[in-house]
Amino acid sequence: MRKIKLFIAMSLDGYIATLDDSLDWLMKVDGKGDNGYGDFMNDIDTVIMGRTTYDWVMNEMNGDYPYKEQVGYVYTHQTRENTAYITYTDEPVQSLGRQLKASKGKDIWIVGGGQLICDFLEAGLVDEMTLTLTPVLLGKGIRLFPEGSYASEWRLTKTETFNQFVNVHYEKK
């Protein structure tokens, strides 16, 4: 069965972006190579993201969608027309998540944001997490794990250091 995975960078105090959705703080940190991203993506053929994350990515990439090699889903309540690379959906995460996990293929990446991640955690669908700890304190911003009903236990499987970044890998118990 396919796995649903999280691979995301966060500040030491648990934020994934500033209140204005900026990641400038992340780009100022010295990493090494691609900080493990390439190895992670070798096992991914499907990406899922929230609309705010999608809009941010498209803005940062000047409209050039970066995940053309993967099947893409974007969660939104807005009416948008599907593209060659994106299926827009508001299907319950339990339904889509179970359907994707049961289908053939590689693993599935929840790109972000925090609320979508929380929804998948609450549905019990996230199998693995790679959290990239960044040596920055933001003090406020958008939390990786907003308040929710997703209490669960995880097992540390690996740590990796990429200069100033530390990737911490967990599997759900």
Side-chain angles (χ1 to χ4, degrees), residues 17 29 33 51 70 80 99 115 120 126 134 151 164-165:
V29 178
R51 193 223 10 107
Q70 291 79 26
R80 292 192 179 187
Q99 171 192 338
Q115 187 57 56
F120 273 84
V126 179
T134 308
Q164 291 297 303
F165 292 106

Side-chain angles (χ1 to χ4, degrees), residues 1 7 15 45-46 50-51 61 63 69 71 87 100 103 112 115 118 125-126 128 137 140 154 164:
M1 183 176 274
F7 184 100
Y15 297 104
D45 71 359
T46 304
R51 193 223 10 107
M61 301 301 294
E69 302 295 317
V71 175
T87 298
L100 290 174
S103 65
Q115 187 57 56
C118 180
L125 292 169
V126 179
E128 294 181 13
L137 293 170
K140 60 185 172 182
W154 296 79
Q164 291 297 303

Side-chain angles (χ1 to χ4, degrees), residues 18 47 71 89 117 119 157 162 165 168:
T18 62
V47 296
V71 175
T89 185
I117 293 165
D119 293 344
T157 59
F162 297 95
F165 292 106
V168 185

Side-chain angles (χ1 to χ4, degrees), residues 4 7-8 22 24 41-42 50 53 67 72 86 94 123 158 166:
I4 295 181
F7 184 100
I8 195 164
S22 173
D24 290 345
M41 288 303 289
N42 286 335
T53 299
Y67 308 113
I86 294 295
Q94 272 193 331
K158 179 171 67 170
V166 177

Side-chain angles (χ1 to χ4, degrees), residues 9 21 28 54 57 66-67 77 79 84 124 131-132 149 155 157:
D21 294 322
K28 295 176 184 176
Y54 172 77
V57 166
Y67 308 113
H77 295 295
T79 301
L131 307 178
T132 301
S149 301
R155 182 177 64 86
T157 59

Side-chain angles (χ1 to χ4, degrees), residues 94-110:
Q94 272 193 331
S95 174
L96 180 62
R98 287 185 178 149
Q99 171 192 338
L100 290 174
K101 286 177 81 161
S103 65
K104 292 185 186 230
K106 294 182 178 181
D107 292 331
I108 303 147
W109 177 28
I110 303 175

Side-chain angles (χ1 to χ4, degrees), residues 30-103:
D30 289 328
K32 181 178 177 184
D34 67 2
N35 304 314
Y37 173 80
D39 286 341
F40 174 79
M41 288 303 289
N42 286 335
D43 295 328
I44 301 298
D45 71 359
T46 304
V47 296
I48 302 172
M49 64 184 88
R51 193 223 10 107
T52 301
T53 299
Y54 172 77
D55 288 346
W56 184 91
V57 166
M58 293 303 286
N59 184 57
E60 288 296 307
M61 301 301 294
N62 296 316
D64 188 23
Y65 183 67
Y67 308 113
K68 294 176 182 169
E69 302 295 317
Q70 291 79 26
V71 175
Y73 293 90
V74 172
Y75 268 89
T76 183
H77 295 295
Q78 297 176 351
T79 301
R80 292 192 179 187
E81 192 164 323
N82 294 340
T83 71
Y85 305 110
I86 294 295
T87 298
Y88 295 97
T89 185
D90 63 356
E91 182 176 350
V93 294
Q94 272 193 331
S95 174
L96 180 62
R98 287 185 178 149
Q99 171 192 338
L100 290 174
K101 286 177 81 161
S103 65

